[in-house]
Amino acid sequence: MSTVPYKRLNKDDAVVLLVDHQTGLISLVQDFSPNEFKNKVLALADVAKFFNLPTILTTSFESGPNGPMVPELKELFPDAPYIPRPGQINAWDNEDFVKAIKATGRKQLIIAGVVTDVCVAFPTLSALAEGFDVFVVTDASGTFNQTVQQASWARMTAAGAQLMNWFSVACELQGDWRNDMEGLANLLSQRIPNYRNLINSYTVLTAK
Amino acid sequence: MSTVPYKRLNKDDAVVLLVDHQTGLISLVQDFSPNEFKNKVLALADVAKFFNLPTILTTSFESGPNGPMVPELKELFPDAPYIPRPGQINAWDNEDFVKAIKATGRKQLIIAGVVTDVCVAFPTLSALAEGFDVFVVTDASGTFNQTVQQASWARMTAAGAQLMNWFSVACELQGDWRNDMEGLANLLSQRIPNYRNLINSYTVLTAK
Amino acid sequence: MSTVPYKRLNKDDAVVLLVDHQTGLISLVQDFSPNEFKNKVLALADVAKFFNLPTILTTSFESGPNGPMVPELKELFPDAPYIPRPGQINAWDNEDFVKAIKATGRKQLIIAGVVTDVCVAFPTLSALAEGFDVFVVTDASGTFNQTVQQASWARMTAAGAQLMNWFSVACELQGDWRNDMEGLANLLSQRIPNYRNLINSYTVLTAK
Amino acid sequence: MSTVPYKRLNKDDAVVLLVDHQTGLISLVQDFSPNEFKNKVLALADVAKFFNLPTILTTSFESGPNGPMVPELKELFPDAPYIPRPGQINAWDNEDFVKAIKATGRKQLIIAGVVTDVCVAFPTLSALAEGFDVFVVTDASGTFNQTVQQASWARMTAAGAQLMNWFSVACELQGDWRNDMEGLANLLSQRIPNYRNLINSYTVLTAK
Amino acid sequence: MSTVPYKRLNKDDAVVLLVDHQTGLISLVQDFSPNEFKNKVLALADVAKFFNLPTILTTSFESGPNGPMVPELKELFPDAPYIPRPGQINAWDNEDFVKAIKATGRKQLIIAGVVTDVCVAFPTLSALAEGFDVFVVTDASGTFNQTVQQASWARMTAAGAQLMNWFSVACELQGDWRNDMEGLANLLSQRIPNYRNLINSYTVLTAK
Amino acid sequence: MSTVPYKRLNKDDAVVLLVDHQTGLISLVQDFSPNEFKNKVLALADVAKFFNLPTILTTSFESGPNGPMVPELKELFPDAPYIPRPGQINAWDNEDFVKAIKATGRKQLIIAGVVTDVCVAFPTLSALAEGFDVFVVTDASGTFNQTVQQASWARMTAAGAQLMNWFSVACELQGDWRNDMEGLANLLSQRIPNYRNLINSYTVLTAK
Amino acid sequence: MSTVPYKRLNKDDAVVLLVDHQTGLISLVQDFSPNEFKNKVLALADVAKFFNLPTILTTSFESGPNGPMVPELKELFPDAPYIPRPGQINAWDNEDFVKAIKATGRKQLIIAGVVTDVCVAFPTLSALAEGFDVFVVTDASGTFNQTVQQASWARMTAAGAQLMNWFSVACELQGDWRNDMEGLANLLSQRIPNYRNLINSYTVLTAK
Amino acid sequence: MSTVPYKRLNKDDAVVLLVDHQTGLISLVQDFSPNEFKNKVLALADVAKFFNLPTILTTSFESGPNGPMVPELKELFPDAPYIPRPGQINAWDNEDFVKAIKATGRKQLIIAGVVTDVCVAFPTLSALAEGFDVFVVTDASGTFNQTVQQASWARMTAAGAQLMNWFSVACELQGDWRNDMEGLANLLSQRIPNYRNLINSYTVLTAK
């Protein structure tokens, strides 16, 4: 196994892809509890917003049983490219989606979606094959059960994808707390209750 | 085992007790994930608010390492009796706390707290011994691990406490959806992501 | 703890209650995998059918986000009392539902539903208070998570409900295989893959 | 909850019931791993043998897909009453079975079987109703999954059964190691690998 | 670790291999619940059928304790090559099996079987060594426990196999919903209860 | 189920029984990880020491494979009654043990031991039968696995024992932090790492 | 990731290494239950015996607390090289051990031991570095917990070891059932209770 | 996958990095129980001390909510380089930290920290990219949950890190027990209760 150079997330080269977080499809997700999953997906959206990363949203058949994209996501990114796919299961097969990505000129793809083994894995494998670096946000991607989760992780890892989580994405993009200490603290406080508790304990004690 | 009459929650006879949900103490909770726990505690607070139940808050040594009460709870109930206990571990040993309860004239205690085996179990046992009906909100109460959780449930059940969860408390208090359909739907939608998804799917389809 | 007389299911005294197995509500169930849950619910329906037990179906707001009753259930019992409740959360608060039960003249209630802590627990507690014997089919009843499941089991057990599963219900009703050996074997074979495998292995070997 | 007198197992008043440990039925057991289950069943058989307890074996349709009783059990008790039931699911409904029990003149029933919720629970409930003391050997009884296991334990506990395990049965019957130190040590050593290791370590060191 | 080109399933180049799903052998499977496993195996068979993929069935000693192939599979593929192996454990060691594969002229092998570590892993490793692409359907393959499952996944992954699940196989073969929207929806609806529920909710609402 | 008066631990009426925490026997414990178990047992010993509770130690065949009592326990209680039992499995069958308990004139027994289903359950049941109140310290008592743990809890609960954990024992005995704030904080800090962290964070911030 | 040629176990090129299965050390194993672990270790020993594989045993400080090798293993291989290491933790650092391996002229090492992360991993890594093929028998190797198990598997896999289990080792060595059908059936029957049950059911039915 | 030479820990070439084990941050750790985690972190510190390995400590914003470094660690290494980072999240971005490492002239980095996916993973990836060998001590590193733990392990493994645990680190550094038998035994005895028990049993028996 040869050592590869550290591919480090860079906020000037990263784009966020949110794939098929739709109100119907999410009922298929069972590898996370509903509250944990919702919180992680919104945390990733917060991260995209906080770092002003170009963000691209796509859905599969949103007028059918799959349902519309979760409204919170749509509201957070009113000006983002939004691509309701007419039928392609692999978002990478949709020209508009790939065009939107290439239009950003960026090479680092941060991807999350529902379900992991299809809506995340397929575009991940396609993008890797075209030379992009792909960072899968494992805790903002959901699927049927642990077996499917683990199998799809193995397939993506073998193809060169890097498995991350929303918190490590946030921290790698931030690099240094001093870039915006209060901003990052606010972000973490919204999504990590134990961190919020630390801040609240601290604030009370230091305010004395 | 003799059948007891169904003790049913009644919004005119119930009072909510929130015991020691403090920023420091919550770091002891490991029988729920932090996000699940936070969500359930706030859901119970929402329920108290929605049904205008008298609510009593108490803390243990909030100026020390235990930390202040979680600010969200304090803000939700600005006018509620708030009893920082100077030392009593069992809140029932604090006269002000018991007085505040008795002042409501209500006999059904809905209780949650941190940690389950102490801050919930002790006042539960004391209140049962004095003839109150006690409904323990198991998912808004947290403790060290599953073993402790299960042992404390067994102790409280044997003494006559009824184990519930925030959702069943809400539904038993509501009784009939028609009492306030939109209100209840909003409440559930805030705290149950899969229910929110159902509503969102429904709304889109019926708006067509 | 005093010993109670063995309350044994009797196919001439039992009625089956299927409460709120609706296409929307089932997306809330996470204490069983979707396939396991579907299979157990249909197995219980098969049992009701096989023993010609009077069966009563009820739903909560089926025209809203909760969705219609699962079509398989409705099709299995075309002539059964079907009570869409206009708002009562506890089915026992609905007069038609209780009337339908009392019309059967039976005192043993076999109940299952979604979610366990509300749609099953509330009518169970009400029925016990009125002197019915209640047999909760735990594996055909689903809810949010294990914590809620266990808490609601404890509440119902303390009130005198008996916790069962679809298979033990079938076997207690059957009493003796000779009452209809092939019928019971068919029933089990449909819903228990390992039992089906035993029968298939056996059939091949004994056909030789 | 009133305290009951300690019903303590007595080797002069106990009888062992092994119900439906059949080669086919055991493929239904999934709440224990196959090796753990086999080991526990044989351990209980060893206990019955060691204390010369009257032991009664029964099977359900052993000529059909359920298969024959596990040969090891049959071989261990060549002279024990062996009752292949022609159809009764609840062994207590079989006159020969109950007669065999009553013929021993003993009032303490130690029972284990497959599956827990039916083959164990039904005769347990029947026997309790007739005034016998019943000790369920939980780890020598298997069923479909944890949900069914827990539900059936709750039903039996509520009816007055005592939940035990093969090891506690052995120890309560033995009472004092000095009654046969070597015999008990041998028994434990065969079925508890960590105990065997302790003995082996000890033997080597003290032989020096 | 070098990036490999995305090997994407192609319905014109894929063949399905169902290995040793026999009524006896399946009693060894404990890494999935029996219902989950049965459902996933039949789902994979549905996929093979839906895409008209050449499918090859093989068994090991079906006249002995291993038992016959599960009848459902045999009935679904009456004209498929069916190779009862006289003794070879690794199906790839059976000339007829390999001939049948090569006769299809296809290079993508979709494989599932019982048990994963032997009946799936051995032909997978052999086929990879001969230059085939192998896609292991992890959720339609079962074995003794999680430890064995994980170890065999690691061995196959290291050799170049891709781990998939029946759903991702279906989606990758389909490519675009528009290739047969109703057909795919039917397929998913049969095997994914939560998807069926979405469709049923949707159908009712849009029929109004 | 009738409500019993709250039996509250009282440091002037409680005695601690440590049963068979021996170096060999502990290798049988698998329902807790070794570090968790050691920590909880020592925590209970700390509690006994802190409240100056009379403490009684007993062992079973300590010169054989069971091994000596864990040295830390022996060292903590150099003057405590120490009863190596010559053979009685149920410590209550040993006259010296019961005499030592009765000599304290106390009626509340706090008990922990190895293994839960025998060394804890047997004396618990015997003591309850003689009218003592028994508080089982569930997390300082270990046994073979979760099944055995749960079965033995059920047996003891049904007989009237109260299930507790070392932390709730400490808190119920303390009653009010002001009885010895620093002492209790020290005790908790030694055994609850997250509490120690709270104190350390607090100390640093308030020292500024 | 490049495809490697399938390294297939060959009974003429394989040697079995049993490392530090000692009565004391085994008390450290917590990633398997004691019965499961014992059964798997003995099953691997049975396999070595059945295929007449050269087998090498080694221990670490067997005269100290680690204890002697499990007697069953020693008795099974009375003439095997037996190397009590005077201090080397990595068995490969012991010249006699490596000499014994090289004396067999074989290149395929089948290894198991206690604990996985040290006694198995270290010689595995050393042997791989010297060009041997190493097959780790994961279920006959035990360690402290799942975290350590998984980490050590990852380290060994990355270095080129193949993860197997005793059953797949047996099957790969056997190749074809016809090489000794009865022998293999006996072997499996001893160690796989569900397989034994299949054989017993089969035997009874075909004997008719 | 090519075989790499065995990179074996060498006490003359290894340096230990303890990253952000701070009193506040540790409240985020949920993939280990608090006691297990504390014990493993201190065990690694003991190892560093025992082998006199150069050890470097670093913290992130220790004057804010993250809290001070755990005092035990600071006290154990009073003379070690201690680098409170003013803002860099990846410790490798802090020049002093990297200088301190390079000043040791050593190439093997043994790293642990909180949280695994950030404070451990980032410097690990950076160090690997610069040609260091990195050994991640998985059980002395903690994070939010199992999903994040597994994803970060996969990312680090793919980049060439070796996953270890404190015990295997200790054993690989020691090489031969005879290098200091009593010292190593003491170390293990402090941190592995079951090992301490073995030693205590042994000592008593051999002292006779």
Side-chain angles (χ1 to χ4, degrees), chain E residues 18 21 41-42 45 57 69-78:
Chain E
L18 300 176
H21 291 99
V41 172
L42 296 183
L57 293 79
M69 174 153 275
V70 167
E72 289 91 334
L73 291 182
K74 230 171 154 175
E75 285 157 21
L76 266 173
F77 304 100

Side-chain angles (χ1 to χ4, degrees), chain G residues 42-63:
Chain G
L42 296 184
L44 176 61
D46 291 347
V47 170
K49 205 79 193 170
F50 180 68
F51 292 106
N52 289 313
L53 299 184
T55 300
I56 298 165
L57 293 80
T58 179
T59 57
S60 167
F61 271 127
E62 62 180 47
S63 61

Side-chain angles (χ1 to χ4, degrees), chain C residues 23 33 35-36 72 196 201, chain E residues 23 33 36 39 72 196 201:
Chain C
T23 58
S33 78
N35 276 308
E36 285 297 331
E72 287 92 335
R196 185 190 201 79
S201 290
Chain E
T23 59
S33 76
E36 286 296 332
N39 188 59
E72 289 91 334
R196 185 189 200 79
S201 289

Side-chain angles (χ1 to χ4, degrees), chain A residues 23-24 26-27 33-36 38-40 63 67-68 70-72 189-191 193-194 196-197 200-201 204-205 208, chain B residues 23-24 26-27 33-36 38-40 63 67-68 70-72 189-191 193-194 196-197 200-201 204-205 208:
Chain A
T23 58
I26 287 175
S27 78
S33 77
N35 276 307
E36 286 296 330
K38 177 187 172 187
N39 189 60
K40 300 302 189 269
S63 62
V70 168
E72 289 91 335
S189 176
Q190 290 303 317
R191 298 295 170 194
N194 283 13
R196 185 190 200 80
N197 285 336
N200 281 329
S201 289
V204 164
L205 285 174
K208 284 174 184 173
Chain B
T23 57
I26 288 174
S27 77
S33 77
N35 276 306
E36 285 297 330
K38 176 186 172 187
N39 189 60
K40 300 303 190 266
S63 62
V70 169
E72 288 91 336
S189 175
Q190 290 303 316
R191 299 294 168 195
N194 282 14
R196 185 190 201 79
N197 285 336
N200 282 329
S201 288
V204 164
L205 284 174
K208 284 174 184 171

Side-chain angles (χ1 to χ4, degrees), chain A residues 161-181:
Chain A
Q162 295 197 56
L163 302 187
M164 294 189 73
N165 49 305
W166 81 264
F167 180 74
S168 62
V169 167
C171 290
E172 196 156 299
L173 288 166
Q174 175 81 0
D176 194 305
W177 273 88
R178 289 165 299 185
N179 291 332
D180 178 355
M181 192 170 314

Side-chain angles (χ1 to χ4, degrees), chain D residues 170-200:
Chain D
C171 291
E172 197 157 299
L173 289 166
Q174 175 81 359
D176 195 306
W177 273 88
R178 289 166 299 186
N179 291 331
D180 179 356
M181 193 169 313
E182 199 180 320
L184 184 62
N186 274 349
L187 174 65
L188 304 185
S189 176
Q190 289 304 318
R191 298 295 170 193
I192 307 177
N194 283 12
Y195 205 79
R196 185 190 201 77
N197 285 335
L198 290 176
I199 291 175
N200 281 329

Side-chain angles (χ1 to χ4, degrees), chain B residues 78-107:
Chain B
D79 305 322
Y82 181 88
I83 296 139
R85 306 192 307 282
Q88 302 94 345
I89 294 178
N90 181 345
W92 206 265
D93 289 344
N94 180 294
E95 284 189 21
D96 294 338
F97 182 73
V98 178
K99 263 190 213 160
I101 294 169
K102 295 190 173 169
T104 67
R106 294 171 174 228
K107 297 294 283 178

